[in-house]
Amino acid sequence: MLLQDTALIFERYLRQTLRSKFAMLFGVLMPLLYLLFFGPLLTDLPLGGGGSSWQILVPGLLLQLGLFGAAFAGFMIIVEKSHGVVERMRVTPVSRLALLLGRVLRDAAVFVFQAVLLVLAALVMGLRAPVAGILIGFAFVALLTVSLASLSYALAMKTSTPHAFGPTINALTMPSMLLSGLMLPMSLAPGWLDALSHVMPFRYLVDAMRDAYVGSYATSSMLYGVLVAVGLTGIAVTVGTRVFREAGA
C-alpha cells in the first residue's frame, strides 16, 4: 500500500509539474547563468584540489540547484492549504508517509533532470569528468533534494502564510551556501572561516562531489559525504513524516 500510495501521489504532482514546462526549465536558469558568466573567470585561477576549475565549480552549482529549489518546495503546501487541498487529503486513507514521499520524489526527479541539463551545458563549455563521477553527483543531488524538500514541507505545514515562510528559508539557505564552499573551495578561505564551514553538512557533500568529478572515489571526503547525505535524508524524512501525521495531512 505504501508503494502504491507513493506512486499515486508522485504521478499526481509529476503531471502537475509537466503542465508547467517553462517553470521547470526556469529553475535551472540561475545555476546556468553562474556557469556561463562566472565559470570562465575561474579558468586560469589556482583553486586548489586536483581538478580543473570546471570540476570544482560544477559540483557546487549542482548542489546549489538542489539547495535553493528544494528549500522553497514548501510553498506548494501553503498554496494547497489555502485552496483546501490539504483538507481533502486529510480524509483519505492514503499513507501519511506516501503523501510526503510522493512529493519529495517528484522534486528529486525534477532537480535531477535540471542537473542533467546543467551538466550537458558544462560539458559544452569544457567540463571533463568521469561518467561514474557525474552519476554519483546526480545521486547526491537527489539525496539533498529529498532531505531539504522534506524539511521544507514540514516547515510549511507549521506556517500559515508565505510571508513567514519565505524569510525563514532565505535566512537558512544563504549562510548555508556561503559557508559550504559551493562556489569556491573553503580551502581558499581564512582558517577561522574554513573551520566554521565544517558545521555545515553541505560542505561534506560538495567535497565528496568534487572528489567524484576528478575520479577519486575511495577518499575520506567521499565517505563523509555519503554518511552525511544518507543521515540527513533519514532524519529529514522522519521529521517530515511526523509533522504530516500530527497535522493529519
Side-chain angles (χ1 to χ4, degrees), residues 220-245:
S220 59
S221 294
M222 181 63 69
L223 176 61
Y224 293 147
V226 171
L227 292 176
V228 169
V230 173
L232 182 62
T233 301
I235 293 171
V237 171
T238 301
V239 170
T241 304
R242 180 172 299 177
V243 170
F244 268 59
R245 285 173 177 165

Side-chain angles (χ1 to χ4, degrees), residues 87-206:
E87 286 293 333
R88 290 194 292 272
M89 286 186 172
R90 194 173 281 171
V91 299
T92 66
V94 176
S95 165
R96 288 355 183 196
L97 177 57
L99 289 175
L100 176 66
L101 289 181
R103 288 178 169 93
V104 300
L105 291 178
R106 183 281 311 265
D107 295 330
V110 169
F111 290 123
V112 169
F113 172 73
Q114 293 177 341
V116 170
L117 297 181
L118 188 64
V119 168
L120 290 176
L123 290 172
V124 172
M125 297 190 66
L127 170 68
R128 296 297 177 265
V131 174
I134 293 176
L135 295 177
I136 289 173
F138 292 152
F140 275 114
V141 171
L143 288 173
L144 178 65
T145 300
V146 169
S147 60
L148 291 184
S150 297
L151 295 176
S152 181
Y153 288 131
L155 177 62
M157 290 297 294
K158 298 289 189 179
T159 306
S160 57
T161 65
H163 305 292
F165 181 80
T168 302
I169 294 298
N170 275 324
L172 295 173
T173 53
M174 288 305 298
S176 298
M177 183 189 76
L178 297 174
L179 286 175
S180 298
L182 297 186
M183 303 306 300
L184 294 172
M186 293 306 296
S187 59
L188 301 176
W192 66 270
L193 190 58
D194 183 33
L196 182 61
S197 72
H198 282 87
V199 304
M200 288 291 175
F202 311 124
R203 159 75 187 263
Y204 301 97
L205 272 64
V206 71

